[in-house]
Amino acid sequence: MIFRCFYTGILFVFVLQWSNALPISKITTHSIELTPCELCNLLLPIAKDLIAQNESSLMEKLGIILCQYLHLADDAVCAGMINEYNYVLIEILRYSPLSTYEICGVAFDCLRQADIPALQWNVTLPPPTQLLFSSSYVSSKHLSSKYILSILHLADLHIDLEYKPGSNANCGRPLCCRDGIPKSSELGAEFWGDYRTCDLPLWTAESMLKYIVQNEEQIDFIYFTGDIAPHDVWQQTQDKDLEEISFTTRLLKQTFPNKKIYPCVGNHEAAPPDLFPTDNISWLYSNLASQWIDQFGLDEQTRDTILKGGYYTTIILPKFRLISLNMNYCTENNYWLFINSTDPLGQLQWLIQWLQYAEEHQEKVHIIGHHPPRMCMVSFSWAYYSIVNRYQNTISGQFFAHTHFDEFMLFYNETDSKQPISIAYITPSFTTYPNINPVAVLDHRTMILNLTATNLYNTTKFIKEYSAKSAYSMKDLSPQEWNKFVLQLENDIDGETMGLVYQYFMKSSATGEACDRICRMKLINCNLKTARAQDTTFCFEI
């Protein structure tokens, strides 16, 4: 999800990428039309000069004035966002080795990161060892029933405790359905949730979780891949985030008292959201370590790396290891990486060490994280892709979130783009934000809460949306079968099956736009077949 909200300080605009709440592509002032990147390149040097002259205190006040003058957001959002991010952006402009042109290019995605030397790095991979298994995927027909596991994958809950039925659902802020009176021509926020710019009411989330407990008795354990706080990004504080984390942890523990829950860190767990420094964030990690160990039941041995950077590894079953990554250290939305993006906290090198250990001890590994790797900075993304290639026989599952859509990503052999080697699942969101039905993913069966019917009949209406194997007539869910399915879609791009794929991608939302041929081609080539950032192997200019 990408918010487009501008941070400014004396004619300085800095894009913060959150969602489609403010999809600004150009700014027009006095008949001069500029793209955000052009405006950034024009104004960023002025901001740097102010910092050099110790006049940075002016930036917050002048930034708010300019934000309001350009109508980039309402007064409260302008003041809140700039107040939250002022210190961080000043520090980044003061210490980043990147030039003005490079900072703007990365922030606005108008410059290839491969052309920026300071962002280029790689990891060292050990040579392969003798393997017991030749493939990372083991079909269920080769396993006895006691080894077939059912995993509940939850992500992007974004429960809004301030949701108010009947309030303004089209308020112009990054999050609505909290206050205000709707226009006379518009309906107010509906009781069970709303397709507009709103997160999920608590009672709807509780009903969804209750449905899972009552109808899915075979869940063995749960992956919770992050994002707790609602999208009120202009008013996030450390205390508020910690309260929301504690509340959601208790809710999940009370709902699933006898299930192990394996979490990872979402971008909304930080305050301000997205910004994860490599130090001075103990306020978050010490809290997560306590809650994940005390409430979710993680092993005590996970504490050290959780305290260091919000990541860990643990054994789920004999010969079955989980690695939970903090993918917030991979994305350009984490502007601290503009100072140093080289394998922050040594997390990828740590990942390699544990995959090497798993390979040598003949363990299979699942990897969970919040951001999908194609949404990472280029060097991190391509290094991760190389790691998956190297340990394809050890990694048997990858699970991500963040996009709010129902997707999968294929990984291919780095030297043979026709050979699939791994598959990653991107689970859809619990929240309706933006304009989609909330869901819970069980194995790869997807249930949706039909929000239209729920509000109409004033009771929650759940629907089994689809099962991947039966809907797509697949023998199994191996990378090879997924690749075969994608090739079928390419050969019948206008067919009904491709229409189903888009429908499920959008979680059967009735509010989404139709997907034409170009839209379908982009979904295949830029989503399903692309797992590396700025990779044009498949995602060419359409």
Side-chain angles (χ1 to χ4, degrees), residues 395-416:
I395 300 169
S396 59
Q398 302 178 68
F399 303 88
F400 300 100
H402 185 65
T403 71
H404 290 206
F405 298 109
D406 189 347
E407 307 179 61
F408 62 87
M409 291 186 309
L410 276 164
F411 289 67
Y412 291 88
N413 190 302
E414 287 184 301
T415 59
D416 180 3

Side-chain angles (χ1 to χ4, degrees), residues 128-139 142 359 362-364 388-396 413 419-422 479-480:
T129 54
Q130 187 67 31
L131 298 180
L132 179 63
F133 300 112
S134 61
S135 173
S136 64
Y137 178 81
V138 181
S139 175
H142 296 131
E359 179 181 274
Q362 297 163 3
E363 297 174 343
K364 291 297 183 182
V388 172
N389 263 257
R390 164 64 182 82
Y391 294 100
Q392 61 185 272
N393 296 314
T394 298
I395 300 169
S396 59
N413 190 302
Q419 181 186 352
I421 56 97
S422 188
Q480 291 73 26

Side-chain angles (χ1 to χ4, degrees), residues 25 354 375 390 443:
S25 60
W354 276 108
M375 304 185 78
R390 164 64 182 82
D443 194 5

Side-chain angles (χ1 to χ4, degrees), residues 207-219:
S207 181
M208 294 171 67
L209 293 171
K210 181 180 179 181
Y211 175 87
I212 295 171
V213 171
Q214 293 175 341
N215 291 275
E216 299 294 336
E217 298 178 357
Q218 299 305 311
I219 295 172

Side-chain angles (χ1 to χ4, degrees), residues 154-259:
L154 301 175
D156 297 281
L157 268 64
H158 296 293
I159 298 171
D160 187 2
L161 300 178
E162 298 182 33
Y163 187 99
K164 183 179 179 181
S167 63
N168 188 0
N170 189 23
C171 66
R173 294 181 177 181
L175 183 66
C176 301
C177 291
R178 297 177 134 206
D179 53 26
I181 300 173
K183 296 178 181 178
S184 58
S185 59
E186 296 180 351
L187 293 174
E190 299 196 71
F191 180 81
W192 291 98
D194 205 286
Y195 283 121
R196 288 166 286 186
T197 313
C198 309
D199 276 318
L200 205 63
L202 172 60
W203 49 89
T204 306
E206 290 175 331
S207 181
M208 294 171 67
L209 293 171
K210 181 180 179 181
Y211 175 87
I212 295 171
V213 171
Q214 293 175 341
N215 291 275
E216 299 294 336
E217 298 178 357
Q218 299 305 311
I219 295 172
D220 293 290
F221 52 86
I222 299 165
Y223 291 159
F224 173 43
T225 49
D227 264 13
I228 289 173
H231 288 87
D232 53 348
V233 294
W234 69 98
Q235 52 186 193
Q236 290 293 306
T237 66
Q238 293 181 10
D239 289 343
K240 182 174 180 293
D241 271 11
L242 293 179
E243 290 176 2
E244 288 161 341
I245 291 169
S246 296
F247 176 84
T248 301
T249 301
R250 290 195 305 270
L251 176 63
L252 293 178
K253 181 61 178 177
Q254 291 167 3
T255 305
F256 305 103
N258 301 315
K259 303 296 182 184

